[in-house]
Amino acid sequence: MSLVKIQSNGNDNDTRFPKRIILVRHGECSANADINVYGTTPNHKIELTEKGIEQAKQTGIRIKKLISENDTNWKVFFYVSPAERTRRTLREMGGSFPKRRVMGVKEEYRLRELNFGNYHDPASIGKIKKERVTYGRFYYRVPGGETGAEVYDRISSYLECLRRDIEMKKFCHEETNIIIVTHGLSSRIFLMKWFDWTIEQFEDLNRMKTSEFQVLQLGHGGEYSLAFHHDDKKLGEWGLSPDMIEDQKCKAYGPTGVKWQGTCHSYPFMDCFAEDSEDENTVM
């Protein structure tokens, strides 16, 4: 998603964009530690473990250090999934951010995790997870729940609202950092939509560890990129292919940047078109 397009569609050239968008996965929850919790506790009420609480505190410290290291006028705006584990993660992270730095907080229900239905016993959850891998996580429907495609639709709706907030100068401060506290699948779907990744590319992605975060930073060309803050090894751990990693570098530094001399060919299906030639206008 290019914010240059947002700016060019408006009449005001003074639109300011958030410097960073940071995706945070919640801290370790009781279901991460014990799968049996899914059979006794509604998914949205699952709480953090003591380990998860400490993880969230450390994540707040690390993110504050990252955004304040070279900026004196930084601000933050939080979006959070309505699940108990994400809200608690935000509360524990919040101790690192003085109130005067916080532009706002919004509970955003479209950031919730994939709906797995109601209660599930461990055996059924194991079966579901195996079927998702073989069937494909994007199209697989959890019995009584959602498909990844439906999560994509609501994340897309959220991103349109985020775009509108940017157009309306909700984040007009030049050092604004948007922090989104969400879930494993939801964060991957966010990246898929933001970077126009294909379903095949999405299927190869790996979720973040609990309380891990991904930093999308704005480049000079109006594109956000993971390559500013994450090296090739980390991007590879998250499932990005070599081509996807090179595309992130292109969004960050090029193609006219000082660090990147390659080109960005990230569109799907380009391999099915004919090669360029001098007689390309000849009617076959």
Side-chain angles (χ1 to χ4, degrees):
M1 181 180 291
S2 173
L3 294 183
V4 169
K5 295 177 182 178
I6 296 178
Q7 190 171 26
S8 63
N9 287 339
N11 295 321
D12 190 343
N13 291 326
D14 193 37
T15 302
R16 291 186 176 180
F17 307 126
K19 183 173 183 177
R20 300 180 189 89
I21 299 172
I22 303 175
L23 299 174
V24 182
R25 187 185 172 204
H26 60 79
E28 182 190 76
C29 66
S30 56
N32 295 138
D34 180 9
I35 197 172
N36 291 294
V37 171
Y38 287 117
T40 59
T41 306
N43 192 293
H44 62 284
K45 292 185 177 181
I46 293 172
E47 299 182 352
L48 295 186
T49 62
E50 289 300 317
K51 177 181 176 180
I53 291 171
E54 183 58 30
Q55 285 179 332
K57 290 178 180 177
Q58 292 303 314
T59 294
I61 292 171
R62 290 171 60 202
I63 290 178
K64 183 195 173 184
K65 180 180 178 181
L66 184 153
I67 64 180
S68 64
E69 204 159 29
N70 297 310
D71 298 328
T72 57
N73 297 317
W74 59 273
K75 298 282 187 179
V76 290
F77 189 100
F78 289 91
Y79 289 95
V80 61
S81 159
E84 175 57 31
R85 55 193 180 276
T86 45
R87 294 195 295 183
R88 183 61 186 275
T89 297
L90 171 60
R91 288 186 178 279
E92 299 302 331
M93 289 173 57
S96 295
F97 301 93
K99 289 183 179 179
R100 69 184 182 89
R101 299 285 190 174
V102 180
M103 299 176 70
V105 182
K106 181 177 181 181
E107 186 172 278
E108 177 51 72
Y109 77 96
R110 287 168 293 189
L111 293 172
R112 67 191 184 276
E113 181 61 300
L114 174 78
N115 184 349
F116 272 85
N118 298 324
Y119 300 104
H120 288 286
D121 63 271
S124 67
I125 291 175
K127 181 175 180 290
I128 288 169
K129 288 186 176 180
K130 288 181 180 178
E131 286 182 348
R132 284 176 70 201
V133 172
T134 56
Y135 192 92
R137 289 174 295 181
F138 191 78
Y139 289 118
Y140 180 79
R141 179 175 298 281
V142 176
E146 289 182 296
T147 66
E150 289 167 331
V151 178
Y152 182 92
D153 290 342
R154 55 180 164 84
I155 292 294
S156 298
S157 172
Y158 162 67
L159 283 176
E160 284 305 310
C161 290
L162 179 60
R163 172 177 174 146
R164 187 164 60 248
D165 285 345
I166 293 171
E167 290 177 328
M168 294 175 66
K169 301 183 181 180
K170 188 172 186 177
F171 313 111
C172 60
H173 193 279
E174 63 181 322
E175 302 296 345
T176 301
N177 300 271
I178 295 176
I179 302 176
I180 301 172
V181 186
T182 184
H183 307 265
L185 182 73
S186 300
S187 59
R188 281 173 283 166
I189 292 286
F190 182 103
L191 293 177
M192 176 189 179
K193 172 62 179 177
W194 189 275
F195 292 120
D196 294 322
W197 288 340
T198 65
I199 294 171
E200 289 78 13
Q201 289 171 321
F202 163 77
E203 293 289 353
D204 288 334
L205 296 178
N206 300 314
R207 70 181 179 183
M208 290 185 282
K209 299 182 179 75
T210 52
S211 249
E212 195 171 16
F213 59 90
Q214 296 167 322
V215 182
L216 290 73
Q217 182 162 315
L218 184 64
H220 295 298
E223 296 276 4
Y224 284 86
S225 173
L226 293 162
F228 284 109
H229 290 278
H230 307 293
D231 59 21
D232 291 11
K233 181 180 179 182
K234 176 54 70 175
L235 295 178
E237 287 177 8
W238 287 331
L240 277 70
S241 68
D243 285 345
M244 294 164 73
I245 293 173
E246 294 308 307
D247 184 59
Q248 290 299 310
K249 293 177 181 177
C250 180
K251 285 177 168 56
Y253 305 117
T256 58
V258 295
K259 289 189 178 182
W260 176 246
Q261 301 301 323
T263 57
C264 288
H265 294 299
S266 59
Y267 295 108
F269 306 111
M270 290 301 291
D271 60 329
C272 74
F273 297 102
E275 295 297 328
D276 296 333
S277 66
E278 294 183 356
D279 58 348
E280 60 186 23
N281 292 323
T282 302
V283 179
M284 301 297 290

